[in-house]
Amino acid sequence: MAEFDKVAIVGVGLIGGSIGLALRERKLAREVIGIGRREKVLQEAKRLGAIDRGTTSLAEGVAEAEIVGGCTPVDRVAETALQVAEHCPQRATITDAGSTKETIVAAVDAGLTGRRDGPWFIGSHPLAGDHRTGVESARADLFDGRKTIVTPTDHSHRASTLDVTRFWRGLGADVVAISPAEHDAALAATSHLPHLVAYALAFATPKELLPLAASGWRDTTRIAGSDPKLWRPIFASNRQHMIEALDRFTEALALMRESLDTGDDEQLLAMLERA
């Protein structure tokens, strides 16, 4: 018997498509419904086996869903979640896969104030992905053994928190629960800053030197191949934590520069060995 009845996925790209593939491969849902803006993408998602059916109508897609996962860019997650709440069953649980949590959770919680009987929203973020995008890059094993962070608050519905935890564990993920603020501070240092640094290194490398770039440059800048339209709103919505992480990074760079400038090879070696 399927773990869930109907699961709706809003945004069937890399993450949404991987959720759908995993749900269907593991037989966790009786039906997986994909919701998107382009019929062509939905048809491709169905052809690849990521969804059972697709629709461009949000209201139609979530009408009977038990779980709704929002897999849109972070600047659209809160708005989408509140739209879902207007059309999904009262008993439904809404979650997301956004890379930031504080602004999203606060906005959705505020919008759902007064809905004591549901639907309920629990923020989540799977720490899995690829610099490639689109449902054609989706994989059923994307979440296997990877962490997914869920971010309930003091106001979160306990049963829905358990449902979201069960959902991600069913997809193969190890689930960790922390607050939205803890999530954003941690991800600023471990995910968002590395992407920014990769972009900066690629930006700073003179184009005429690229024919001489070897594997070190390629490996360090690989994630700069990620879609800028996805990452700009991530950086913007986690601005303060990003600045704090960037300050720590620039302090380390300044020390390394000082070591080179003054010939302090011992200090440089100590930093390299610690790293």
Side-chain angles (χ1 to χ4, degrees):
M1 183 177 177
E3 188 88 2
F4 302 101
D5 182 28
K6 295 186 179 184
V7 175
I9 303 168
V10 185
V12 192
L14 170 68
I15 299 298
S18 296
I19 290 172
L21 286 171
L23 286 170
R24 299 189 76 236
E25 184 175 284
R26 294 166 180 253
K27 299 183 176 7
L28 294 172
R30 188 172 65 81
E31 185 179 31
V32 178
I33 306 143
I35 303 162
R37 294 181 293 179
R38 291 183 291 170
E39 186 66 40
K40 183 178 179 181
V41 172
L42 295 170
Q43 290 174 355
E44 180 68 0
K46 185 175 180 180
R47 186 188 71 80
L48 293 171
I51 59 175
D52 292 298
R53 64 182 173 92
T55 177
T56 57
S57 169
L58 182 72
E60 176 188 326
V62 305
E64 298 178 344
E66 180 182 351
I67 299 278
V68 181
C71 300
T72 64
V74 294
D75 54 345
R76 298 209 308 264
V77 169
E79 177 186 4
T80 298
L82 293 174
Q83 289 173 347
V84 168
E86 294 297 321
H87 300 287
C88 69
Q90 194 174 49
R91 67 183 184 280
T93 295
I94 306 166
T95 190
D96 75 312
S99 295
T100 60
K101 294 270 77 80
E102 279 187 279
T103 56
I104 290 171
V105 172
V108 179
D109 280 356
L112 295 181
T113 297
R115 291 177 178 259
R116 294 186 177 181
D117 298 322
W120 299 280
F121 176 81
I122 306 295
S124 57
H125 175 208
L127 305 187
D130 198 301
H131 65 283
R132 296 169 296 181
T133 59
V135 70
E136 61 276 4
S137 300
R139 306 195 326 260
D141 65 351
L142 187 68
F143 311 108
D144 284 1
R146 306 296 294 272
K147 283 186 172 57
T148 288
I149 300 175
V150 296
T151 58
T153 68
D154 293 339
H155 309 294
S156 294
H157 188 255
R158 177 172 171 74
S160 288
T161 302
L162 293 174
D163 282 345
V164 170
T165 299
R166 185 163 51 98
F167 175 80
W168 287 110
R169 283 181 178 158
L171 300 182
D174 298 324
V175 179
V176 178
I178 58 178
S179 73
E182 289 172 318
H183 169 278
D184 284 6
L187 269 293
T190 62
S191 174
H192 306 163
L193 177 63
H195 277 80
L196 191 71
V197 170
Y199 280 119
L201 178 58
F203 183 85
T205 304
K207 188 174 181 179
E208 62 271 18
L209 299 183
L210 291 180
L212 301 177
S215 58
W217 190 92
R218 181 195 63 210
D219 293 345
T220 309
T221 59
R222 177 185 60 82
I223 53 177
S226 303
D227 185 355
K229 290 184 175 64
L230 292 177
W231 278 96
R232 184 204 59 78
I234 291 173
F235 295 150
S237 63
N238 202 19
R239 194 181 307 272
Q240 191 53 48
H241 291 303
M242 280 288 298
I243 290 172
E244 292 167 5
L246 192 56
D247 283 346
R248 292 192 298 270
F249 179 69
T250 52
E251 286 173 11
L253 274 183
L255 276 175
M256 288 182 171
R257 188 189 187 288
E258 178 186 276
S259 299
L260 291 170
D261 189 42
T262 61
D264 191 344
D265 293 343
E266 289 303 313
Q267 175 175 279
L268 180 60
L269 177 61
M271 294 187 72
L272 297 179
E273 288 180 336
R274 179 179 172 187

